[in-house]
Amino acid sequence: MAEAEEQETGSLEESTDESEEEESEEEPKLKYERLSNGVTEILQKDAASCMTVHDKFLALGTHYGKVYLLDVQGNITQKFDVSPVKINQISLDESGEHMGVCSEDGKVQVFGLYSGEEFHETFDCPIKIIAVHPHFVRSSCKQFVTGGKKLLLFERSWMNRWKSSVLHEGEGNIRSVKWRGHLIAWANNMGVKIFDITSKQRITNVPRDDISLRPDMYPCSLCWKDNVTLIIGWGTSVKICSVKERHASEMRDLPSRYVEIVSQFETEFHISGLAPLCDQLVVLSYVKEVSEKTEREYCARPRLDIIQPLSETCEEISSDALTVRGFQENECRDYHLEYSEGESLFYIVSPRDVVVAKERDQDDHIDWLLEKKKYEEALMAAEISQRNIKRHKILDIGLAYINHLVERGEYDIAARKCQKILGKNAALWEYEVYKFKEIGQLKAVSPYLPRGDPVLKPLIYEMVLHEFLESDYEGFATLIREWPGDLYNNSVIVQAVRDHLKKDSQNKTLLKTLAELYTYDKNYGNALEIYLTLRHKDVFQLIHKHNLFSSIKDKIVLLMDFDSEKAVDMLLDNEDKISIKKVVEELEDRPELQHVYLHKLFKRDHHKGQRYHEKQISLYAEYDRPNLLPFLRDSTHCPLEKALEICQQRNFVEETVYLLSRMGNSRSALKMIMEELHDVDKAIEFAKEQDDGELWEDLILYSIDKPPFITGLLNNIGTHVDPILLIHRIKEGMEIPNLRDSLVKILQDYNLQILLREGCKKILVADSLSLLKKMHRTQMKGVLVDEENICESCLSPILPTDAAKPFSVVVFHCRHMFHKECLPVPSMNSLAQYCNICSAKNRGPGSAILEMKK
């Protein structure tokens, strides 16, 4: 069994119980591997007693008194034969250039690894601990401490001699020591002390809690988290101590520093070692369990726990049971926990084994996710940390994820993930598509196939289309619409569709799809024919998009039957491609469609289809009488006689009335209104429009024996004809409905007319007076006359060059100026003078306003 254990190599993937690992879904925080190579050779013949760690190398002490320097892979770089007995402790300074060693036979050595500097001393008792000053490389820090029954401080004097002083004694063997900065912490049988090397004062004593435990079997574990934080583990107790500066007012005879315990809690097992991990703790625990069969205690595998300290308790973050060689025979004192601060490496040292624990990196995290089949999380983690991962590739994880989804039958999700995972890798796309074909799931991958960058081989797309064509016409049609036509061989797919149409010739989905394929192939004629057969809404879009107007000249009736509104709009918008004459000819056998076309043409432009206005009279009369009268009113090209004939034949009274009035036969029109329509209001309205006195006379004569008509006339005639003419003709005794109201209305209308006239008169008088005043003010204003002005008659300067000479100038309101002698002498009949240029006939703007004399 021992030989089998000695042959074990490799990582400690079995570090946790298999049952726990299967049940737990929580990811481990650390990973483990054995320190092999030279360490394996050493521990085959010897046993490890202690170890210390530097960032650059490791130092391992054995029970046979050897000290080995190792690299981080465990290879031996140097060997020192220090003693024939057990090495108790090894200490290194921060530079890694000086090493202190103590052994069970009392030997102490401090020497330089790269220099001849050396100190030797042999004591008469076992030396359990040694610690060199962290900055021992400096000449001012040549200090180290050793501990057996007492704690000694060695310092090099100015004569290069070493002197020693006792820091503490009398409380049993010193079994643990840690030196950090200016503080030394050590543990003896009674508790833990801290000594300030600068002030040469002991600043605290932390007594141990469980005095029932033997100090030699359950030694104290010490570690400095930083320069002022000490972590103490003893038995099952953990204390976190903080060294603080004492306030000057509290000094007196006390040390300048004091210690405060900031956290204290109990653990489940006995502590063999401690190490800090950020704000958490790594605890190596010695475990004893009771056998269910024999009910006897036995040594179980040691545990490495990561815990989160709280003020009075702790929270377990992770816990791993370690399978180290010979754990069945080990005691609590046989385990040590050393750590490298720079790399977060933790070394679990036992007599027969050295195990390295490391924080798990992203590769390890991805390994665990893949092991748990959490592929999506693994893919996400790889994408986030793609610069940091070394052993994994995003593509490999993605392909594994796709395979996993396919195995679980989640084909749609697998196909969707292909877009993200395969990206622009055409070869991988084609490979995956063939895999989907093998399992009969081409339909699942079809929506996600790349269509632009990259483009796969045409065979891939044709394979998918054939799959749909065999089982899903609608899906096939969708792909044809969505996929660009250059992805596949169009002629191959067209032939396949035609083959299927032989079995089902009336299938609208296949026919529509075939039309789309013809369109892609620029075979627009066949496509148009199918669209028209199907009466498909895209037919107009197809015509416009591909300018197929030459192809539809003989299909105008079909287009109109399908959608007359769209067809007419299209034809009218493209008169240059299909003439009005051609459309009318094509619709000759379908007058109802012909009317729709010509009506819309007339609405757009009253003159474009003037040659067809005569035809339109019959079309309106037959198919659209409500629009006949508006057409007759708006058209200036339709023959009135023809229109009158048609309207009279069909007894269209309103249209006939309009035509008669338009042709000047207002009396006949009025007669028709009264005799045919019996509508006095319309008759009155017609008379008002014509504004003809004779018409009013005819209307009065016709109405004189019809009381309802008289009432209508009395209500409306007042503003156009003198009501007295009507009133005198009313037969005495005739009963007229609402006569009083009608007379009152006549009087009101008359009063209103009087008021309007008076109001208008007042407005005119006020406006005339205002304008007269304005003209007067304007005419009273002076006019500037200077040497630049000229006489409009003789064209010489208006002012003489010699100002002393007398002169006379006439200036008109139109601003024209004349010498008085240049104006004609006014006649005896009219003494007023007018501007010759403006040729005014009466006084106004051109009349004289100023005569200048000197």
Side-chain angles (χ1 to χ4, degrees), residues 329-446:
E329 290 85 25
N330 292 340
E331 298 291 340
C332 184
R333 64 183 177 183
D334 295 325
Y335 293 110
H336 306 280
L337 179 63
E338 302 293 338
Y339 67 97
S340 172
E341 294 184 20
E343 300 180 23
S344 295
L345 296 175
F346 304 94
Y347 295 85
I348 298 94
V349 182
S350 69
R352 301 286 302 280
D353 213 350
V354 178
V355 175
V356 185
K358 300 178 183 178
E359 280 194 281
R360 295 170 65 86
D361 56 19
Q362 278 300 108
D363 282 302
D364 299 314
H365 175 57
I366 292 169
D367 280 334
W368 184 82
L369 291 172
L370 293 175
E371 182 184 340
K372 296 296 181 182
K373 298 189 182 302
K374 298 181 178 182
Y375 291 95
E376 187 165 11
E377 294 177 38
L379 185 61
M380 189 181 301
E383 289 171 348
I384 294 171
S385 307
Q386 56 183 320
R387 294 184 179 179
N388 299 324
I389 56 177
K390 299 174 182 177
R391 292 187 285 105
H392 292 94
K393 293 181 180 178
I394 294 175
L395 181 59
D396 294 340
I397 298 171
L399 292 174
Y401 185 23
I402 294 172
N403 291 336
H404 171 69
L405 291 171
V406 169
E407 289 171 4
R408 293 178 55 179
E410 298 179 11
Y411 305 115
D412 289 335
I413 300 175
R416 186 167 65 249
K417 293 297 178 184
C418 285
Q419 276 188 313
K420 178 180 178 182
I421 294 166
L422 305 182
K424 298 182 179 181
N425 192 323
L428 277 177
W429 266 109
E430 291 168 5
Y431 177 75
E432 290 297 327
V433 171
Y434 279 113
K435 284 174 61 177
F436 275 90
K437 177 178 172 55
E438 290 174 5
I439 58 176
Q441 291 296 328
L442 277 177
K443 288 185 180 180
V445 78
S446 64

Side-chain angles (χ1 to χ4, degrees), residues 1-9 34 44 325 352:
M1 179 177 178
E3 290 178 2
E5 285 183 356
E6 289 174 1
Q7 291 173 1
E8 286 182 22
T9 59
R34 279 197 170 83
Q44 283 177 349
R325 295 188 182 102
R352 301 286 302 280

Side-chain angles (χ1 to χ4, degrees), residues 212-269:
S212 64
L213 296 175
R214 287 176 52 184
D216 58 331
M217 296 298 291
Y218 297 91
C220 177
S221 297
L222 301 174
C223 74
W224 287 97
K225 181 179 179 181
D226 51 46
N227 287 343
V228 294
T229 305
L230 177 67
I231 305 170
I232 304 170
W234 206 337
T236 59
S237 172
V238 176
K239 295 177 181 177
I240 301 177
C241 306
S242 179
V243 180
K244 299 185 177 182
E245 296 288 340
R246 198 182 300 275
H247 196 271
S249 62
E250 301 175 352
M251 286 283 197
R252 300 175 188 168
D253 297 329
L254 298 174
S256 61
R257 297 182 178 184
Y258 69 98
V259 171
E260 180 182 336
I261 298 176
V262 296
S263 178
Q264 180 175 351
F265 52 87
E266 295 290 322
T267 62
E268 185 178 357
F269 305 110

Side-chain angles (χ1 to χ4, degrees), residues 57-223:
F57 61 91
L58 313 174
L60 178 67
T62 70
H63 281 263
Y64 288 172
K66 307 292 190 293
V67 175
Y68 296 91
L69 299 187
L70 313 168
D71 62 18
V72 292
Q73 281 81 36
N75 298 303
I76 301 171
T77 58
Q78 273 185 286
K79 174 184 174 183
F80 301 95
D81 288 317
V82 177
S83 169
V85 295
K86 176 184 174 184
I87 301 296
N88 283 329
Q89 191 162 7
I90 302 170
S91 177
L92 294 168
D93 66 352
E94 288 184 358
S95 68
E97 296 181 12
H98 294 82
M99 183 168 66
V101 183
C102 65
S103 61
E104 192 68 21
D105 59 0
K107 287 184 179 179
V108 174
Q109 290 187 28
V110 179
F111 54 92
L113 295 175
Y114 310 108
S115 66
E117 186 178 11
E118 189 173 1
F119 169 86
H120 289 272
E121 185 70 46
T122 302
F123 296 89
D124 57 359
C125 66
I127 301 300
K128 299 295 185 182
I129 57 98
I130 186 170
V132 299
H133 195 294
H135 304 297
F136 192 88
V137 69
R138 301 177 188 171
S139 58
S140 60
C141 299
K142 299 296 182 182
Q143 298 172 315
F144 67 91
V145 294
T146 64
K149 293 180 179 179
K150 53 189 175 181
L151 185 67
L152 297 176
L153 172 65
F154 289 85
E155 300 176 278
R156 193 162 68 177
S157 64
W158 64 279
M159 293 292 290
N160 282 337
R161 293 182 179 180
W162 292 90
K163 66 173 184 176
S164 64
S165 56
V166 178
L167 298 183
H168 187 71
E169 63 180 332
E171 293 185 354
N173 283 332
I174 312 296
R175 300 189 182 278
S176 181
V177 66
K178 292 292 179 182
W179 193 332
R180 179 72 173 250
H182 300 294
L183 299 175
I184 304 172
W186 71 90
N188 57 27
N189 292 351
M190 305 303 293
V192 177
K193 280 75 176 172
I194 300 177
F195 184 81
D196 188 343
I197 197 70
T198 54
S199 63
K200 304 293 185 183
Q201 288 181 309
R202 195 175 75 188
I203 60 176
T204 192
N205 174 34
V206 182
R208 70 182 176 123
D209 295 330
D210 189 354
I211 59 174
S212 64
L213 296 175
R214 287 176 52 184
D216 58 331
M217 296 298 291
Y218 297 91
C220 177
S221 297
L222 301 174
C223 74

